[in-house]
Amino acid sequence: MSLSDAKPTGPAIEFVGVNKWYGRFHALRDINLTVGRGERIVVCGPSGSGKSTMIRCVNKLEDHQKGAIRVDGVELTDSPRSVEAIRRDVGMVFQNFNLFPHLTVLENCTLAPIWVRKKPKAEAEAKAMELLGRVRIPEQAGKYPGQLSGGQQQRVAIARALCMEPSIMLFDEPTSALDPEMVREVLDAMVELARSGMTMMVVTHEMGFAREVADRVVFMDSGEIVEVNAPVPFFDAPQHERTRTFLSQILR
Amino acid sequence: MTDAAFVRLAPAPALSPPASLVGPWGWARANLFSSATSTGSTLVLAALALWFLPSLIGWATWKAVWIAPDGAACRLAQDGACWAFVAQKWQYLLYGSYPESEHWRVNVTEVMGAVLIGWLLWTGAPRKLLGAALFFFVYPIVAFVLLHGSAIFGLPYVDTIRWGGVFVSLLVSLVGIVFSLPLGVLLALGRRSTRPVVKALSVTYIEVVRGVPFITVLFMANNLLPLFVPDDYAPDRFLRPLVGTVLFAAAYLAEEVRGGLQSLPKGQYEGAAALGFGYWRAMGLVALPQALTLVIPGIVNNFIGLFKDTTLVSIVDMADFLSAMDNAMKDTVWSGPTILVTGYVFAGIFYYVFCAAMSAYARGVEKRLAAGRNR
Amino acid sequence: MSIAPASPPRAPSLSLGPIVAQGALLVVIAALIYEAAANVTAHMQAQGVPTGFGFWNQTAGFDINLSLIDYSSLSTYGRAFWVGLLNTAMVGALGILFATPLGFLVGVARLSPNWLLSRLAFAYVELMRNTPLLLQLFFWYNAVLKALPAPKQSLAFGDWLFLNNRGLYVPKPIAEGGVWPFVGAIAAAILVSIVLWRRAKVQRDATGAGGAVLAPSIILLAGLPLLAAIIFGPPFTLDFAKLSGFNLHGGLQLFPEFAALLFGLVVYTAGFIAEIVRAGVLATAKGQTEAAAALGLPRSLSLRLVVVPQAMRLIIPPLASQWLNIVKNSSLAVFIGFPDLVQIFAGTVLNQTQAAMQVMAITMGVYLAISLLLSAALNFFNARFALKER
């Protein structure tokens, strides 16, 4: 059964008692979280809190040693086939864009659909142009990533992930490596994506984005989830001591 | 948790990682048995090791002949190395045919060299300029007098034909590096110059020398050098390969130095210019000291390469360590089936230890330099 | 001085001073060259050594045991040059051909997650880097190959293979009637396979599913030549080596000098190539493999489409430099008596004619030409395949 065939029902992502170690270091402690279909979750917290580690566990870029992670109802195991199946349905955008520098923008976007979803070239290119239009850079299709600005590259990265038609999108600090004047264009693309109903899990420091778009905000510290709430009560009335400290530091 | 809000009341328990992850079994799982192919490789390699290692180690240790006055014992012990041969020949391997009573001169020269080099390479050393002056200007003369002999100091002459062994290998490589440094720096500066003649000459020299094998340079120096100069200056047969070595090493060193100069941030040159430094001042006081420090690892690597290349000088009748070993192996007193392998293995160990030690030093310097630059 | 220039401080090169200085430099160099040339000619005339290239057509008077073209002791020195050059080229080409895949294999092993495998590859590379090539050649030639038994006690594998201290003897293929159809069949099989691969690519572009071409290609490459052999007769017969008296006759003899040189060069250079491969792959950022994985690409496709193309850009320039080293290092042949260019020309011919200037100039010129050709090819490659940046 391909994950993209049947219309997915039930929660998109489930973390049940998830623990992860790097050697002896306990990186993720007792993570319990359910992300509903179409829900937008923003994860924030100080550096080293494990937020990137947590979302990288969703598409098995990191392994967890204890507990269960379920994506679209299917549990993540070590079997390569199940991992690849999940990765086809979960898109990821990285902090450092990670575009393929030896391919054009268009080729970046069509590589996976052609080779993994076995789409004909013309169909993949049409879809790619449509998505590049959605992130507002269709005219860059023939250029190489080295010729684009950071903001443009990140938008290409978003389009590239969307070309695989995932039902879940993960963002790992997508704007942290950008110059300030380019953050806006990437956030706009993400807001537009959220408005279209995509299930999103976003690690970011952009609290404005959280307020505007998130259904829930998750605060992590030292490997554990400390507080989860809807944006309004989260920002206006944080309940945990550590949440208050963190918010006071970043919202000056 | 589900869509409800959540606040953690008590910190999550700090658990220790599952046993399959850490400790020796965890390491083995990750490094030896992580996949089917990995497990297969581990099994095959372990089997091969069990098959070969015992006889190899035995050959070198308990089956070997360690003490013997001649080759008789070795001829009997065909499964073991003949280390006794090396032990008996060690003087020849170190000094060649240099007269035994004068070995102290070689030793003094080597110790002085080691001290001076240590002085220059030790980062915290005081008065490095004095050390450099001594090393580059005084030491060569002193070493020459000591090794070759001089009537003034009552040191009997020792003809270069008797020089051989490790000390010749060290001599050639050291002379090569020491004298090729100034030439290499000049060539590097020349190659970066905007003046067309200077640049063309430098580029031609560097590319020609780097494009031909070292042997041809040695042949050229050996055969042609006496022809280039008038008869009264005819270079000694020992001097010719040394000149060839210096000319060869300089081209490679030039490229290292050029790399170092290029990797300096432009701000260095701009800073020097802003201070009103002309070309030579900027180079001498700002650029070169930094560039040369940066390329110390590269220079050490060049030295290692040169040390290995000294094995080629035997083609022009200069007895280095490898040719001394070769000669020693021809001694009929010791002839036997294990001699060749013993000799070559020992030579291999010698070169390996020396070169690996220098490599480790170069890596250490590199790490320290990198730590200083990337904060 | 003005605001800091954008390049290192250099005196402007159009004013009079530097031009005079450069002119003076040229004059000095020219004077030195003239002086050297005068000395050389004086010396050579005093010793009765030829200063021209007349020796090229003189009879050589010595034999060469390995020659790809016809040569005898009655041939000229010029012909001896060509024999040496061809031998150098052959060793160089074969060395590159074998060292490169071996180097890649060891490099990949070095990157393996299996600790034993990567440590073994590490030991191999370190051994190659820290011991002189000449020592390794001596070891293979003197300690291994010359220690093999005499022809009468050869290590034999039936009638097919004989190993002794004179070399390795294999059956020599002698072309028969069916050889041209056989070669033609191989060529045809290759051409058809290329066509099949092209068509499969077009098909995959159009529909997404690729045709399986590997199996048909293999069947063609094996089957078509076989068919040709059956129809037109065998392409060659084999001349087996046979022991008669104290030596083996017939067959194809691989001399120990050649074997030691080739084997030593290949094993030595593969160690350096392995490091180049490893560095290239490691330098391809980890993020690339992660991005490819996140898109659902399996590891094999991720390597093929994302990692290897990028790594090759970093690998090719130093790899070309190692190829040049193989050609230059083949000159060590003179130490073990393999008749390469240096051994024949800069060795025997130089000794016999004493025409040192000419011989050395030609010899170094040959290596220089090879080196420049390689540089040009490399520059062309770099320009064409460089990653495009802003």
Side-chain angles (χ1 to χ4, degrees):
Chain A
M1 179 205 101
S2 155
L3 278 174
S4 49
D5 283 354
K7 191 156 190 335
T9 55
I13 307 174
E14 289 172 274
F15 289 84
V16 181
V18 173
N19 283 276
K20 182 196 166 53
W21 288 265
Y22 283 118
R24 295 211 172 270
F25 173 61
H26 198 175
L28 290 178
R29 303 169 185 235
D30 192 39
I31 303 290
N32 292 287
L33 183 68
T34 303
V35 178
R37 192 131 320 263
E39 194 175 4
R40 278 93 52 171
I41 304 275
V42 165
V43 183
C44 63
S47 50
S49 55
K51 20 186 228 298
S52 287
T53 312
M54 183 174 76
I55 70 162
R56 284 159 64 93
C57 285
V58 174
N59 63 358
K60 247 204 183 278
L61 287 182
E62 302 282 353
D63 291 323
H64 60 282
Q65 284 81 42
K66 196 159 179 244
I69 301 180
R70 281 191 277 272
V71 177
D72 286 330
V74 177
E75 176 156 353
L76 275 180
T77 61
D78 282 330
S79 124
R81 309 201 76 178
S82 81
V83 169
E84 279 165 28
I86 284 176
R87 285 175 178 167
R88 285 197 284 272
D89 199 50
V90 175
M92 185 155 191
V93 175
F94 298 86
Q95 181 177 356
N96 291 311
F97 335 136
N98 288 337
L99 292 180
F100 306 133
H102 59 297
L103 301 175
T104 62
V105 162
L106 189 64
E107 285 165 350
N108 262 274
C109 293
T110 57
L111 182 75
I114 290 177
W115 288 91
V116 179
R117 288 211 189 276
K118 312 265 195 256
K119 291 228 169 118
K121 191 163 162 192
E123 188 184 326
E125 285 185 350
K127 182 87 190 165
M129 289 307 298
E130 178 201 326
L131 286 165
L132 285 172
R134 223 168 123 186
V135 294
R136 312 239 175 89
I137 40 169
E139 71 281 358
Q140 308 289 348
K143 295 236 183 98
Y144 285 86
Q147 296 170 306
L148 303 180
S149 76
Q152 290 169 323
Q153 289 188 51
Q154 193 63 300
R155 284 186 279 155
V156 171
I158 295 175
R160 176 178 71 172
L162 289 174
C163 277
M164 285 294 281
E165 292 162 12
S167 59
I168 302 169
M169 281 286 279
L170 304 173
F171 291 81
D172 187 1
E173 307 216 30
T175 56
S176 298
L178 294 175
D179 289 337
E181 63 270 16
M182 292 190 255
V183 168
R184 186 73 253 160
E185 65 198 52
V186 173
L187 288 180
D188 284 342
M190 289 164 66
V191 166
E192 191 264 341
L193 186 62
R195 297 244 155 85
S196 71
M198 171 70 74
T199 313
M200 289 163 69
M201 209 168 158
V202 181
V203 173
T204 183
H205 296 296
E206 297 289 327
M207 294 304 140
F209 174 80
R211 267 192 224 264
E212 192 179 338
V213 141
D215 291 319
R216 280 187 293 158
V217 181
V218 172
F219 172 64
M220 279 184 74
D221 188 13
S222 306
E224 48 192 8
I225 294 184
V226 174
E227 187 165 341
V228 180
N229 218 331
V232 169
F234 182 87
F235 288 112
D236 294 341
Q239 299 193 333
H240 199 288
E241 173 77 44
R242 283 145 82 183
T243 322
R244 282 198 282 267
T245 316
F246 175 72
L247 286 177
S248 73
Q249 282 168 345
I250 65 162
L251 299 173
R252 236 160 242 278
Chain B
M1 271 295 143
T2 60
D3 48 1
F6 166 79
V7 177
R8 181 174 289 283
L9 297 164
L15 302 168
S16 56
S20 61
L21 193 59
V22 291
W25 178 235
W27 181 90
R29 262 196 80 205
N31 289 307
L32 295 175
F33 304 109
S34 59
S35 70
T37 31
S38 184
T39 311
S41 315
T42 304
L43 291 175
V44 168
L45 289 175
L48 284 174
L50 282 172
W51 188 296
F52 285 116
L53 273 183
S55 43
L56 272 177
I57 300 179
W59 178 91
T61 49
W62 61 79
K63 291 195 200 144
V65 176
W66 291 84
I67 304 179
D70 62 31
C74 292
R75 281 190 278 273
L76 290 172
Q78 298 214 358
D79 279 334
C82 190
W83 299 129
F85 161 71
V86 176
Q88 290 289 340
K89 293 277 182 185
W90 74 272
Q91 293 236 13
Y92 182 70
L93 293 174
L94 281 180
Y95 303 104
S97 308
Y98 210 87
E100 200 165 329
S101 55
E102 309 299 315
H103 279 177
W104 65 271
R105 286 154 60 176
V106 177
N107 295 335
V108 167
T109 313
E110 287 178 344
V111 167
M112 276 203 299
V115 165
L116 284 171
I117 293 176
W119 184 352
L120 285 179
L121 291 179
W122 178 30
T123 33
R127 313 197 61 189
K128 273 211 178 152
L129 222 51
L130 175 63
L134 281 176
F135 184 65
F136 284 95
F137 295 110
V138 175
Y139 180 62
I141 304 175
V142 171
F144 179 74
V145 165
L146 265 178
L147 292 172
H148 198 247
S150 153
I152 313 173
F153 294 100
L155 295 167
Y157 280 107
V158 180
D159 198 304
T160 51
I161 208 154
R162 308 190 65 165
W163 299 13
V166 173
F167 108 81
V168 167
S169 296
L170 284 174
L171 183 67
V172 173
S173 357
L174 212 60
V175 165
I177 285 289
V178 164
F179 285 93
S180 65
L181 258 175
L183 183 56
V185 167
L186 277 176
L187 285 169
L189 291 177
R191 188 163 184 170
R192 281 168 59 88
S193 165
T194 42
R195 305 187 190 191
V197 171
V198 175
K199 180 167 181 160
L201 283 172
S202 305
V203 169
T204 311
Y205 180 96
I206 293 176
E207 289 305 313
V208 166
V209 172
R210 279 165 57 101
V212 297
F214 184 38
I215 267 195
T216 55
V217 174
L218 285 177
F219 274 178
M220 206 194 72
N222 204 40
N223 289 312
L224 297 184
L225 217 53
L227 299 180
F228 282 148
V229 294
D231 270 329
D232 359 333
Y233 297 99
D236 174 72
R237 49 172 291 286
F238 201 80
L239 198 59
R240 288 178 250 157
L242 282 179
V243 171
T245 308
V246 169
L247 292 176
F248 186 73
Y252 287 85
L253 205 70
E255 287 296 279
E256 290 280 344
V257 173
R258 186 168 78 102
L261 286 170
Q262 261 174 344
S263 72
L264 282 183
K266 282 209 180 130
Q268 292 297 313
Y269 296 104
E270 291 168 358
L275 283 171
F277 284 172
Y279 177 77
W280 288 106
R281 265 234 184 118
M283 278 297 160
L285 292 176
V286 177
L288 276 178
Q290 293 187 59
L292 288 176
T293 320
L294 274 178
V295 300
I296 283 183
I299 293 179
V300 174
N301 281 328
N302 261 15
F303 180 74
I304 297 173
L306 197 58
F307 189 68
K308 293 193 294 173
D309 279 341
T310 59
T311 48
L312 270 64
V313 299
S314 62
I315 203 72
V316 289
D317 298 325
M318 216 174 175
D320 74 307
F321 170 64
L322 188 58
S323 83
M325 175 62 85
D326 242 357
N327 273 333
M329 292 197 287
K330 292 189 178 120
D331 189 352
T332 44
V333 169
W334 287 94
S335 66
T338 55
I339 285 299
L340 283 179
V341 180
T342 304
Y344 288 133
V345 167
F346 181 77
I349 294 175
F350 169 78
Y351 279 108
Y352 185 92
V353 167
F354 189 87
C355 295
M358 298 251 75
S359 270
Y361 171 74
R363 270 200 304 273
V365 172
E366 228 174 332
K367 270 207 191 115
R368 249 186 318 106
L369 288 174
R373 272 184 298 153
N374 312 329
R375 291 217 46 219
Chain C
M1 262 206 141
S2 58
I3 302 292
S7 56
R10 299 165 182 146
S13 52
L14 283 181
S15 65
L16 195 57
I19 293 190
V20 168
Q22 288 179 77
L25 182 62
L26 269 176
V27 167
V28 167
I29 301 265
L32 281 174
I33 293 181
Y34 179 77
E35 167 83 12
N39 278 326
V40 169
T41 352
H43 275 124
M44 288 176 97
Q45 278 167 351
Q47 292 167 13
V49 166
T51 49
F53 290 91
F55 70 90
W56 193 264
N57 290 317
Q58 290 174 359
T59 310
F62 62 91
D63 257 321
I64 302 175
N65 71 355
L66 180 67
S67 169
L68 290 176
I69 54 177
D70 284 329
Y71 177 86
S72 76
S73 53
L74 296 173
S75 309
T76 59
Y77 285 127
R79 196 149 180 95
F81 167 81
W82 291 112
V83 172
L85 182 58
L86 279 173
N87 284 345
T88 294
M90 174 177 67
V91 169
L94 287 175
I96 292 175
L97 192 67
F98 289 121
T100 308
L102 180 60
F104 270 81
L105 230 85
V106 177
V108 168
R110 188 84 176 80
L111 293 164
S112 163
N114 183 310
W115 182 87
L116 276 179
L117 197 56
S118 82
R119 284 281 121 177
L120 188 65
F122 176 71
Y124 174 90
V125 170
E126 285 298 292
L127 191 63
M128 292 304 125
R129 285 165 66 151
N130 289 314
T131 53
L133 174 58
L134 188 59
L135 172 62
Q136 297 181 31
L137 285 181
F138 279 165
F139 179 77
W140 298 121
Y141 186 61
N142 289 318
V144 175
L145 289 182
K146 300 233 94 170
L148 289 170
K152 278 202 119 176
Q153 290 94 24
S154 307
L155 300 166
F157 295 90
D159 286 330
W160 285 81
L161 228 61
F162 292 92
L163 196 58
N164 56 50
N165 65 7
R166 300 272 187 107
L168 176 70
Y169 290 81
V170 294
K172 181 171 174 169
I174 301 179
E176 294 280 332
V179 68
W180 287 115
F182 188 77
V183 171
I186 294 182
I190 293 180
L191 277 170
V192 174
S193 295
I194 293 181
V195 168
L196 282 178
W197 281 84
R198 282 252 164 86
R199 282 190 48 209
K201 182 173 190 303
V202 168
Q203 191 189 13
R204 191 182 54 233
D205 283 349
T207 66
V213 274
L214 195 60
S217 303
I218 294 181
I219 294 176
L220 264 179
L221 276 166
L224 219 57
L226 194 63
L227 205 62
I230 295 177
I231 297 177
F232 291 97
F236 43 74
T237 54
L238 295 173
D239 174 25
F240 287 86
K242 278 179 277 293
L243 182 65
S244 74
F246 283 103
N247 211 343
L248 287 162
H249 293 278
L252 198 59
Q253 183 186 10
L254 266 65
F255 292 96
E257 291 80 20
F258 175 66
L261 184 64
L262 186 61
F263 188 74
L265 277 175
V266 165
V267 165
Y268 180 77
T269 314
F272 290 85
I273 294 180
E275 269 306 286
I276 292 171
V277 168
R278 174 174 165 259
V281 171
L282 285 181
T284 307
K286 186 173 165 226
Q288 294 290 303
T289 23
E290 287 194 341
L295 284 168
L297 283 165
R299 187 174 149 86
S300 56
L301 277 181
S302 150
L303 275 175
R304 191 174 125 204
L305 298 172
V306 174
V307 178
V308 169
Q310 294 186 57
M312 286 311 281
R313 276 180 175 81
L314 293 172
I315 288 174
I316 300 257
L319 182 65
S321 169
Q322 286 304 320
W323 287 354
L324 183 63
N325 279 345
I326 289 182
V327 175
K328 289 197 292 180
N329 284 335
S330 70
S331 59
L332 263 61
V334 69
F335 284 93
I336 58 175
F338 175 78
D340 82 316
L341 180 64
V342 170
Q343 201 267 358
I344 291 179
F345 204 58
T348 316
V349 172
L350 191 150
N351 279 334
Q352 288 190 337
T353 64
Q354 288 297 308
M357 283 254 16
Q358 303 89 311
V359 166
M360 287 317 301
I362 294 176
T363 310
M364 292 170 86
V366 167
Y367 283 103
L368 207 54
I370 297 175
S371 162
L372 288 175
L373 238 107
L374 204 69
S375 280
L378 192 60
N379 282 336
F380 171 73
F381 168 86
N382 274 337
R384 252 203 86 193
F385 291 105
L387 292 176
K388 293 186 184 43
E389 315 238 310
R390 350 173 60 180

